[in-house]
Amino acid sequence: MARIAYVNGQYLPIDTPAVQVEDRGYQFADGIYEVWLVRDGVFLDHAGHLARMKRSLGEIRIPQPMSDVALDIALRETLRRNRLTDALVYLQITRGVSRRDHAFPAGTIRPSVVITVRPAPRAPVSARAEAGIAVITQKDLRWKRCDIKSISLLPNVLAKQAAREAGAFEAWLVNEAGEVTEGSSSNAWIITGEGRLVTRAADETILNGITRQRILRIAKAQGLVFEERPFTVDEALGAREAFVSSATSMVMPVVSIDGRPIANGAPGSLASALRASYEAGEES
Ligand code: PMP
């Protein structure tokens, strides 16, 4: 069955030429995106993703192109037309189409909205979680507003490619202070020798993951001790456990960094328990 994409009000086979060459998303990466994991037809953390979408739009002054209700209908209808119940749903909103000029176009233009869906079968992700993933470190080359879910992802793309070429699943981005900010498409976590959960505070140097926020709520509800603070690569190498979080990976144990094992080199028990809590839909 052909995959169906939503493009500015139309549902089209995904390979239909439908985006204009002067779309500012195409020419300037002038836009934002969101990704939902759908399980059994349910959009996980729907409200959180919508709230972050609104925030990202506001921060770069793109007006929300359609009402929440209309957007919700478009998201669900795109999913339905792809006949999937376990899926990833991608939403992209750009400033729209106008003659190429860096500054915003004069007058109002209609933002472009694209929604795509792809299958997200559970088995490969579960298998990966059971084995744990390798990460490598890469310099964090990104801009200073990583809190905006911008479609400008070149440094993330290059870091992920370096990971792939090194046989690793994710790249941890390291700033000039030697701190891990986050992954190329995930948030980074460690569990200290004392069992404290540590992840960087959600400032402008990272994307505040919706999954990250839910894990913090789960941790609070379960009475786990957590600290939102920076950690270095060295601290991570000496940690009891490490993991990454994202809508696509949920909680994914990290078993090595740059080829050096974390603890005994197997997924940690707390990360695995958090993953189970996440999958069970637990929170405060
Ligand atoms: N950081 C970055 C850079 C990401 O791209 C993502 C995935 N979108 C995340 C963190 C995790 O965010 P979420 O939990 O909302 O998927």
Side-chain angles (χ1 to χ4, degrees), residues 136-141 172-182 233:
I136 61 163
T137 57
Q138 290 282 291
K139 232 180 175 171
D140 192 342
L141 299 174
W172 272 8
L173 307 177
V174 180
N175 67 15
E176 279 169 10
E179 299 159 359
V180 175
T181 52
E182 61 180 332
V233 177

CSV table of all heavy atoms in Angstrom, one decimal, residues 136-141 172-182 233:
chain,number,residue,atom,x,y,z
A,136,ILE,N,28.8,6.9,20.7
A,136,ILE,CA,30.1,7.5,20.6
A,136,ILE,C,29.9,9.0,21.0
A,136,ILE,O,28.8,9.5,21.0
A,136,ILE,CB,30.7,7.4,19.2
A,136,ILE,CG1,29.7,8.1,18.2
A,136,ILE,CG2,30.9,5.9,18.8
A,136,ILE,CD1,30.4,8.4,16.8
A,137,THR,N,31.0,9.6,21.3
A,137,THR,CA,30.9,11.0,21.6
A,137,THR,C,31.3,11.8,20.3
A,137,THR,O,32.2,11.4,19.6
A,137,THR,CB,31.8,11.4,22.8
A,137,THR,OG1,33.2,11.0,22.5
A,137,THR,CG2,31.4,10.7,24.0
A,138,GLN,N,30.7,13.0,20.2
A,138,GLN,CA,31.0,13.9,19.1
A,138,GLN,C,30.9,15.3,19.7
A,138,GLN,O,30.2,15.6,20.6
A,138,GLN,CB,29.9,13.8,18.0
A,138,GLN,CG,29.9,12.5,17.2
A,138,GLN,CD,31.0,12.5,16.2
A,138,GLN,OE1,31.0,13.2,15.2
A,138,GLN,NE2,32.1,11.7,16.4
A,139,LYS,N,31.6,16.2,19.0
A,139,LYS,CA,31.6,17.6,19.5
A,139,LYS,C,30.2,18.1,19.2
A,139,LYS,O,29.6,17.9,18.2
A,139,LYS,CB,32.5,18.4,18.5
A,139,LYS,CG,33.5,19.2,19.3
A,139,LYS,CD,34.4,19.9,18.2
A,139,LYS,CE,35.3,20.9,18.9
A,139,LYS,NZ,36.3,21.4,17.9
A,140,ASP,N,29.6,18.9,20.2
A,140,ASP,CA,28.3,19.5,20.0
A,140,ASP,C,28.5,20.8,19.2
A,140,ASP,O,29.0,21.8,19.7
A,140,ASP,CB,27.7,19.8,21.3
A,140,ASP,CG,26.2,20.2,21.2
A,140,ASP,OD1,25.8,20.6,20.1
A,140,ASP,OD2,25.5,20.2,22.2
A,141,LEU,N,28.2,20.7,17.9
A,141,LEU,CA,28.5,21.8,17.0
A,141,LEU,C,27.2,22.7,16.7
A,141,LEU,O,27.2,23.5,15.9
A,141,LEU,CB,28.9,21.3,15.6
A,141,LEU,CG,30.1,20.4,15.6
A,141,LEU,CD1,30.4,19.8,14.2
A,141,LEU,CD2,31.4,21.3,16.0
A,172,TRP,N,26.6,11.0,21.4
A,172,TRP,CA,26.4,11.9,22.6
A,172,TRP,C,27.2,13.1,22.2
A,172,TRP,O,28.4,13.1,21.9
A,172,TRP,CB,26.8,11.3,23.9
A,172,TRP,CG,25.7,10.5,24.5
A,172,TRP,CD1,24.5,10.2,24.0
A,172,TRP,CD2,25.7,9.9,25.8
A,172,TRP,NE1,23.7,9.5,24.9
A,172,TRP,CE2,24.4,9.3,26.0
A,172,TRP,CE3,26.6,9.9,26.9
A,172,TRP,CZ2,24.0,8.7,27.2
A,172,TRP,CZ3,26.2,9.2,28.0
A,172,TRP,CH2,25.0,8.6,28.2
A,173,LEU,N,26.5,14.3,22.3
A,173,LEU,CA,27.1,15.6,21.9
A,173,LEU,C,27.8,16.2,23.2
A,173,LEU,O,27.2,16.2,24.2
A,173,LEU,CB,26.1,16.5,21.4
A,173,LEU,CG,25.3,15.8,20.2
A,173,LEU,CD1,24.2,16.8,19.7
A,173,LEU,CD2,26.2,15.4,19.1
A,174,VAL,N,29.0,16.6,23.0
A,174,VAL,CA,29.9,17.0,24.1
A,174,VAL,C,30.2,18.5,23.9
A,174,VAL,O,30.7,18.9,22.8
A,174,VAL,CB,31.1,16.2,24.2
A,174,VAL,CG1,32.0,16.6,25.4
A,174,VAL,CG2,30.7,14.7,24.4
A,175,ASN,N,30.0,19.3,24.9
A,175,ASN,CA,30.3,20.8,24.8
A,175,ASN,C,31.7,21.1,25.2
A,175,ASN,O,32.5,20.2,25.5
A,175,ASN,CB,29.3,21.6,25.6
A,175,ASN,CG,29.4,21.4,27.1
A,175,ASN,OD1,30.4,20.9,27.6
A,175,ASN,ND2,28.4,21.9,27.8
A,176,GLU,N,32.1,22.4,25.2
A,176,GLU,CA,33.5,22.7,25.4
A,176,GLU,C,33.9,22.4,26.8
A,176,GLU,O,35.1,22.3,27.1
A,176,GLU,CB,33.7,24.2,25.0
A,176,GLU,CG,33.9,24.2,23.5
A,176,GLU,CD,33.9,25.6,22.9
A,176,GLU,OE1,33.9,26.6,23.6
A,176,GLU,OE2,33.9,25.6,21.6
A,177,ALA,N,33.0,22.3,27.7
A,177,ALA,CA,33.3,22.0,29.1
A,177,ALA,C,33.5,20.5,29.3
A,177,ALA,O,33.7,20.0,30.5
A,177,ALA,CB,32.2,22.5,30.1
A,178,GLY,N,33.3,19.7,28.3
A,178,GLY,CA,33.4,18.2,28.4
A,178,GLY,C,32.1,17.6,28.9
A,178,GLY,O,32.1,16.4,29.2
A,179,GLU,N,31.1,18.4,28.9
A,179,GLU,CA,29.8,17.8,29.4
A,179,GLU,C,29.0,17.3,28.2
A,179,GLU,O,29.0,17.8,27.1
A,179,GLU,CB,28.9,19.0,30.0
A,179,GLU,CG,29.5,19.6,31.2
A,179,GLU,CD,28.9,21.0,31.5
A,179,GLU,OE1,28.1,21.5,30.7
A,179,GLU,OE2,29.4,21.6,32.5
A,180,VAL,N,28.3,16.2,28.5
A,180,VAL,CA,27.3,15.6,27.5
A,180,VAL,C,26.1,16.5,27.6
A,180,VAL,O,25.4,16.6,28.6
A,180,VAL,CB,27.0,14.2,27.9
A,180,VAL,CG1,25.9,13.6,26.9
A,180,VAL,CG2,28.2,13.3,27.9
A,181,THR,N,25.7,17.1,26.4
A,181,THR,CA,24.5,17.9,26.5
A,181,THR,C,23.3,17.0,26.3
A,181,THR,O,22.4,16.8,27.1
A,181,THR,CB,24.5,19.0,25.4
A,181,THR,OG1,24.8,18.4,24.1
A,181,THR,CG2,25.5,20.1,25.8
A,182,GLU,N,23.3,16.2,25.1
A,182,GLU,CA,22.2,15.3,24.8
A,182,GLU,C,22.7,14.4,23.7
A,182,GLU,O,23.8,14.6,23.2
A,182,GLU,CB,20.9,16.0,24.5
A,182,GLU,CG,21.0,16.9,23.3
A,182,GLU,CD,19.7,17.6,23.0
A,182,GLU,OE1,18.6,17.1,23.4
A,182,GLU,OE2,19.7,18.7,22.4
A,233,VAL,N,31.6,13.3,30.2
A,233,VAL,CA,31.9,12.0,29.7
A,233,VAL,C,32.5,11.1,30.7
A,233,VAL,O,32.2,9.9,30.9
A,233,VAL,CB,32.7,12.1,28.4
A,233,VAL,CG1,33.0,10.7,27.8
A,233,VAL,CG2,32.0,13.0,27.3
